[in-house]
Amino acid sequence: MNRSSLCFSLTGATIAENLKDIEKYHCYCDLYELRADCLESLSISALTSFPTKVKKPVILAVRRAVDGGHFKGSENERCGILRRSLASGYRYVDLDEDFQDQKTEQAALAGGVTIIRSFYDFSGVPAYLDRRLSNIKRNPGEVIKAAVMVQNTQELLKLVEQALELKAQDGWGNRIILGMGPMGFATRVLSTLLGSSITYSSAPGRQAAPGHVDPQTLVDLYRFPLIDEDTRIFGVIGNPVIHSESPGLHNRGFSLRAIDDAVYIPFQVDNLGAFFQLAEVLDIRGVSVTIPHKQGVIPFLSSRDKDVEAAGACNTIVWGDGLRRGYNTDIAGFMAPLKESMGGAIPAGFRAAVIGAGGAARAVVYALRKEGVEVLILNRTVARAKELAALFDCSYGSLREQERIADFSDLIVQTTSVGMNREDPEYDPIPGYSFKGSEIIYDIIYIPRLTPLLKRAAQSGCRVINGWEMLTAQAAIQFKLFTGQDLPGQAN
Ligand code: ATR
């Protein structure tokens, strides 16, 4: 079975910095790309001695600004650097498609250095990638490489289809096709499946190209060495989605359950129609759905469970038997930690205030009403609170009427984005409400684990539940739907 090699692009300003990065990541990668254009002083002696200092094959690249690199000298200087360094043990040299210096090419061929003939397109995915790639190949043994910026989901679909077509036509290898940017991320993880002989990674904070992750993340989190044509693909669709914690939860779950033939990938999606086509092309088996697509996916489903119908939102899709089945695990995921904190059941006469009236609030309100909880909805935009209240027979009001919470304060659920990624007290959506200490405060935000609201509530002696507990509870139900197995418990 052919597998993509994992290349670690070295973008340090000094050789010493690169060697330090290698020390940290060497066990995760198969080869290195020395990005000589990132070095602060391009001394030939440093370049010629480099391959002997490392134990893996090295690609030499001196990339120009037009190709996303940092080399500022003349083309003559660049050729000189390449020519004088090539014979010192480099396995590959990366030359751009319009590279013209015959002497350098001859030096590479004479020295047994394989040419990677590259083109970069930062404007998007070319319509005829196959033609473009075959046109750039000059010698039979060359590896041809396309690194193209994926601008949208339609382009990701196009890129994946073209890569698979090329693989079917020409077989494996001597070809690298990678989608740059967050929209192209899947191509970096699925490079083996797409027939690319190399995928690239780089050190955190010093990405060699948009969309790179570090080698450890590709291996440990995205299970890169396990992925092949038989891998079952799962993922999360959202926009943005790159910071989602779901890949960590599900991929760790696969590892802990010794499920070696599955991977879970973030797909940043801006066009659901294109994504559902991509799902067919890649034979995607299941996805989590997050903001802003929980409502938008519903028309694409073949069937939906009663929670999807009632909440008007779907957060899980499972493909099987030619069907796309939609579920909402947020409802049960929301309830699980709440019930657990109350010893298993919600007492009669329980009253709750829900802050916010968006999609997340709708699922929360439905879950609470299903349990017979009396609910007050407070929202910045009263009309939305009124609409939601009418659907589920609740009281409602403006977020300015925070004194009304006192009558519904067994539980306060915070569903707005206020406090997300924030630590400072001004990001408390109900500063006008003073805690008695007997309330349960549930904030569905999971970054940070302790939002300003939860911090204030905990200091007042309230029981607090955070979004991480909800996230893991709903993920556990998804994991069961995806794999039929229980998701092992994971640390906060
Ligand atoms: P979600 O699916 O996450 O619920 P949404 O449907 O866009 O996203 O809803 C966002 C919720 O957060 C709404 O209740 C919104 O209030 P409005 O309906 O008035 O827009 C609330 N929200 C967002 N930013 C807010 C802010 N700065 N202050 C108060 N509420 C805010």
Side-chain angles (χ1 to χ4, degrees):
M1 168 79 203
N2 293 305
R3 277 188 194 282
S4 229
S5 301
L6 202 169
C7 178
F8 183 29
S9 292
L10 303 165
T11 53
T14 62
I15 293 288
E17 220 172 286
N18 286 328
L19 291 173
K20 218 161 142 196
D21 283 344
I22 285 177
E23 214 171 286
K24 188 161 174 205
Y25 292 111
H26 70 97
C27 59
Y28 298 101
C29 47
D30 305 302
L31 73 163
Y32 305 116
E33 177 190 51
L34 179 62
R35 283 283 304 274
D37 53 292
C38 298
L39 294 170
E40 58 193 18
S41 69
L42 253 180
S43 90
I44 294 297
S45 61
L47 293 187
T48 50
S49 61
F50 185 76
T52 58
K53 292 194 169 116
V54 298
K55 295 191 181 72
K56 291 180 178 171
V58 187
I59 304 169
L60 177 62
V62 188
R63 197 165 299 162
R64 304 169 300 183
V66 64
D67 299 318
H70 301 282
F71 186 74
K72 293 198 178 76
S74 70
E75 191 57 5
N76 261 348
E77 284 172 277
R78 193 164 79 112
C79 295
I81 291 163
L82 286 167
R83 263 201 313 271
R84 276 172 279 156
S85 315
L86 277 180
S88 44
Y90 287 95
R91 179 76 61 85
Y92 301 92
V93 59
D94 189 306
L95 301 179
D96 19 276
E97 59 173 329
D98 54 351
F99 189 80
Q100 295 302 346
D101 185 56
Q102 286 302 319
K103 281 190 198 150
T104 306
E105 301 226 351
Q106 280 156 9
L109 295 174
V113 180
T114 301
I115 294 173
I116 299 178
R117 188 81 60 185
S118 312
F119 82 82
Y120 299 87
D121 194 334
F122 289 89
S123 68
V125 177
Y128 298 102
L129 191 65
D130 50 350
R131 254 185 256 166
R132 184 90 192 261
L133 278 173
S134 56
N135 286 345
I136 67 170
K137 192 165 189 157
R138 297 188 201 166
N139 303 298
E142 285 181 6
V143 177
I144 45 175
K145 170 180 168 187
V148 295
M149 184 64 83
V150 178
Q151 305 281 1
N152 52 49
T153 311
Q154 191 68 45
E155 286 203 343
L156 177 61
L157 171 65
K158 195 161 78 179
L159 185 64
V160 166
E161 281 178 333
Q162 295 194 82
L164 289 174
E165 259 171 48
L166 277 169
K167 191 176 83 163
Q169 272 167 33
D170 302 342
W172 166 269
N174 284 353
R175 186 172 56 249
I176 302 165
I177 297 178
L178 292 167
M180 294 189 282
M183 296 265 186
F185 181 69
T187 64
R188 300 193 180 278
V189 179
L190 299 176
S191 56
T192 293
L193 194 109
L194 298 177
S196 283
S197 28
I198 297 178
T199 197
Y200 292 80
S201 59
S202 39
R206 281 199 255 122
Q207 273 83 1
H212 272 196
V213 292
D214 67 79
Q216 184 176 3
T217 301
L218 264 185
V219 171
D220 284 352
L221 178 57
Y222 292 109
R223 325 188 84 208
F224 183 77
L226 296 177
I227 297 174
D228 59 27
E229 282 158 3
D230 299 324
T231 301
R232 293 179 292 154
I233 302 170
F234 297 90
V236 50
I237 62 171
N239 194 6
V241 79
I242 207 75
H243 299 296
S244 167
E245 298 207 27
S246 295
L249 283 169
H250 287 275
N251 284 322
R252 272 195 299 273
F254 294 146
S255 297
L256 290 167
R257 285 276 170 251
I259 300 171
D260 288 343
D261 67 339
V263 65
Y264 184 103
I265 301 170
F267 290 94
Q268 185 173 322
V269 168
D270 68 347
N271 175 335
L272 286 171
F275 174 76
F276 279 99
Q277 278 178 268
L278 180 71
E280 299 303 323
V281 172
L282 287 176
D283 192 18
I284 289 177
R285 308 301 179 91
V287 290
S288 313
V289 184
T290 188
I291 294 166
H293 296 313
K294 290 185 186 187
Q295 281 95 29
V297 295
I298 293 176
F300 293 91
L301 301 173
S302 333
S303 70
R304 49 200 92 156
D305 75 358
K306 59 182 189 330
D307 285 344
V308 171
E309 298 281 357
C314 165
N315 80 328
T316 311
I317 304 172
V318 180
W319 279 254
D321 311 321
L323 299 175
R324 299 160 176 164
R325 297 187 174 86
Y327 303 87
N328 190 320
T329 70
D330 281 337
I331 312 291
F334 166 74
M335 266 303 162
L338 179 60
K339 283 190 175 165
E340 198 183 300
S341 85
M342 302 179 71
I346 293 183
F350 199 72
R351 290 161 77 93
V354 173
I355 312 302
R362 181 174 162 146
V364 164
V365 169
Y366 162 67
L368 291 170
R369 294 296 291 137
K370 215 163 79 156
E371 296 289 329
V373 177
E374 282 185 57
V375 174
L376 165 70
I377 303 164
L378 294 185
N379 195 43
R380 182 176 61 180
T381 310
V382 186
R384 285 184 90 187
K386 183 178 179 185
E387 208 176 306
L388 187 57
L391 268 181
F392 296 107
D393 191 21
C394 306
S395 305
Y396 70 91
S398 156
L399 195 51
R400 281 190 298 244
E401 303 170 76
Q402 292 175 17
E403 69 288 349
R404 292 180 63 191
I405 296 172
D407 285 340
F408 288 83
S409 60
D410 295 326
L411 166 71
I412 301 169
V413 188
Q414 197 306 109
T415 72
T416 76
S417 49
V418 181
M420 194 182 289
N421 300 316
R422 303 287 185 178
E423 306 273 347
D424 21 340
E426 72 211 68
Y427 293 97
D428 177 340
I430 48 168
Y433 178 76
S434 302
F435 296 111
K436 293 172 278 191
S438 57
E439 306 91 330
I440 299 174
I441 314 298
Y442 195 155
D443 197 328
I444 68 166
I445 290 172
Y446 63 87
I447 301 173
R449 301 288 190 257
L450 214 50
T451 58
L453 172 72
L454 288 187
K455 203 178 277 175
R456 183 165 69 89
Q459 280 160 0
S460 310
C462 300
R463 258 184 292 170
V464 301
I465 304 174
N466 66 20
W468 175 256
E469 294 174 65
M470 175 173 167
L471 181 78
T472 50
Q474 67 77 29
I477 307 165
Q478 284 182 335
F479 194 81
K480 186 102 186 178
L481 288 166
F482 292 156
T483 66
Q485 298 197 41
D486 291 326
L487 180 68
Q490 297 183 31
N492 187 338

